[in-house]
């Protein structure tokens, strides 16, 4: 009998996987499956030798977005598939959610091809209320900053941040900062094989302007805690996933998904739809461990 093999794709900074994913290896072994970490840009890896490739901690992809997508296109038996990764790693997917009446944070989109002047950038920033500047392709809150419009210094820093991103040919998003994050944090909802598993609370990450990221690691450290999702949050998350399924023409549920929500004046808002390489925060599972469900779902696909 040939043992099924699964690759858990990661990055060179985490060659042995993130700690949240390491328990997958013994869990899959219990199901008769050999699972092992494999660095996505390691040319020596034979991806075709695996029965399934599950993208996990590939958290260095953002500065090498095109290279990452080219890699995904070459990997057979990839979960979630390359078409999902291509759609989801560019946050303009939020436009599709908004068009389908899924509540999202209002966003101003700046195209580097339009060669905006500093004055033009200035006019597109909010006059009132804190706001956020970030690139459309990013991960781990890198190159993202929070600014205060009534402060001339803060607004100047926001313009400099925006121009730096545009000059590097990156699309830019400008969004109002949802102040409830400071007290309630973000709510992350985890789905496995199309079924909701558990929720967790993520503390606010943005306290000020974008800072140089060299030497700061792959992502901004997140503080998490268990949380019970409300019916309203579950409804918005499911609607967002339904739009993704329709947009991508999927004929089966995604192996994994995470929907990140914040609370606006009228209820939950989608801040991100994480279908590429999300932390699933399995330590914060409900009565049936997410690790168990995730391992079962992987085993069912090999």
């Amino acid at each position: 009998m040939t043992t099924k093999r699964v690759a858990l794709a990661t990055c060179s900074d985490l060659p042995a996987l993130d700690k949240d994913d390491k328990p997958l290896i013994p869990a899959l072994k219990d199901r008769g499956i050999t699972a092992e970490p494999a660095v996505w840009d390691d040319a020596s890896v034979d991806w075709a030798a695996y029965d399934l490739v599950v993208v996990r901690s590939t958290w260095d992809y953002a500065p090498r977005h095109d290279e990452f997508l080219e890699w995904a296109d070459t990997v057979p038996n990839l979960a979630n598939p390359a078409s999902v990764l291509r759609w989801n790693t560019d946050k303009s997917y939020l436009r599709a959610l908004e068009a389908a009446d899924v509540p999202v944070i209002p966003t101003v989109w700046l195209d580097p091809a339009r060669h905006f002047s500093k004055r033009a950038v200035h006019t597109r920033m909010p006059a009132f209320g804190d706001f956020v500047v970030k690139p459309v392709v990013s991960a781990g809150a890198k190159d993202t900053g929070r600014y205060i419009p009534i402060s001339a210094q803060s607004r100047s820093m926001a313009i400099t941040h925006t121009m730096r991103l545009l000059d590097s040919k990156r699309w830019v998003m400008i969004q109002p900062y949802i102040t409830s994050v400071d007290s309630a944090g973000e709510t992350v909802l985890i789905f496995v094989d199309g079924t909701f598993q558990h929720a967790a609370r993520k503390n606010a990450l943005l306290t000020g302007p974008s800072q140089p990221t060299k030497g700061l690691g792959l992502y901004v450290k997140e503080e998490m805690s268990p949380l019970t999702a409300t019916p309203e949050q579950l409804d918005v998350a499911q609607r967002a996933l339904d739009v993704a399924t329709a947009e991508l023409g999927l004929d089966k549920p995604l192996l994994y998904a995470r929907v990140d929500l914040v609370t606006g004046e009228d209820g939950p808002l989608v801040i991100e739809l994480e279908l590429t390489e999300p932390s699933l925060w399995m330590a914060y599972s409900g009565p049936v461990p997410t690790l168990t469900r995730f391992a079962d779902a992987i085993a069912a696909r090999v």
Side-chain angles (χ1 to χ4, degrees):
M1 180 177 177
T2 303
T3 301
K4 297 291 186 178
R5 297 181 67 204
V6 169
L8 303 173
T10 184
C11 62
S12 57
D13 288 292
L14 294 166
L17 298 174
D18 179 66
K19 63 180 181 180
D20 193 51
D21 291 313
K22 288 181 180 180
L24 275 172
I25 294 177
L28 289 170
K29 183 177 180 181
D30 290 343
R31 290 157 176 79
I33 298 168
T34 297
E36 55 195 32
V39 175
W40 73 269
D41 59 349
D42 182 348
S44 69
V45 177
D46 180 9
W47 299 102
Y50 294 99
D51 297 283
L52 189 69
V53 177
V54 182
V55 177
R56 296 310 308 129
S57 43
T58 58
W59 295 333
D60 60 352
Y61 81 84
R64 304 157 63 194
H65 186 228
D66 290 345
E67 183 183 349
F68 179 71
L69 295 180
E70 289 170 3
W71 165 79
D73 285 337
T74 68
V75 178
N77 304 316
L78 183 65
N80 294 330
S83 60
V84 174
L85 274 53
R86 184 173 298 278
W87 184 80
N88 183 240
T89 52
D90 183 323
K91 292 183 179 64
S92 60
Y93 65 76
L94 291 169
R95 290 174 161 178
L97 301 187
E98 185 175 28
D101 294 325
V102 175
V104 300
I105 299 175
T107 304
V108 173
W109 307 87
L110 301 184
D111 179 355
R114 294 187 60 185
H115 304 289
F116 287 97
S117 66
K118 288 185 178 180
R119 180 174 179 80
V121 168
H122 170 83
T123 62
R124 284 161 173 79
M125 291 179 173
F128 303 99
D130 290 12
F131 62 94
V132 174
V133 172
K134 59 185 174 182
V136 169
V137 176
S138 66
K142 282 197 169 185
D143 297 318
T144 299
R146 174 181 174 181
Y147 301 96
I148 306 169
I150 59 174
S151 162
Q153 180 184 17
S154 182
R155 197 173 188 89
S156 176
M157 293 175 73
I159 293 170
T160 299
H161 177 191
T162 303
M163 295 302 296
R164 183 177 73 247
L165 294 173
L166 292 171
D167 288 345
S168 63
K169 311 302 181 186
R170 301 172 76 180
W171 274 75
V172 175
M173 307 166 63
I174 301 175
Q175 298 176 318
Y177 183 78
I178 307 301
T179 56
S180 65
V181 173
D182 291 333
S183 56
E186 296 178 22
T187 299
V188 301
L189 286 78
I190 310 301
F191 293 76
V192 172
D193 217 14
T195 300
F196 172 69
Q197 294 302 133
H198 72 277
R201 179 186 187 272
K202 179 166 65 175
N203 284 356
L205 294 178
L206 299 180
T207 58
S210 174
Q211 300 292 332
T213 57
K214 186 176 181 180
L216 295 182
L218 292 170
Y219 53 87
V220 178
K221 183 176 175 58
E222 297 169 324
E223 295 182 17
M224 307 294 296
S225 56
L227 185 74
T228 299
T230 67
E232 293 79 11
Q233 289 172 330
L234 288 168
D235 175 67
V236 169
Q238 187 60 62
R239 286 162 58 194
L241 291 175
D242 289 345
V243 171
T245 298
E247 286 283 318
L248 291 159
L250 302 177
D251 58 3
K252 63 180 179 181
L254 294 159
L255 175 61
Y256 54 87
R258 196 182 89 196
V259 186
D260 294 0
L261 304 175
V262 294
T263 302
E265 292 182 1
D266 297 320
L269 301 170
V270 175
I271 186 168
E272 287 192 36
L273 186 58
E274 299 271 13
L275 313 179
T276 301
E277 29 62 70
S279 294
L280 300 181
W281 302 109
M282 291 186 281
Y284 300 96
S285 297
V288 178
T290 297
L291 174 64
T292 298
R293 292 280 178 84
F294 196 25
D296 285 344
I298 292 172
R301 295 191 181 211
V302 298

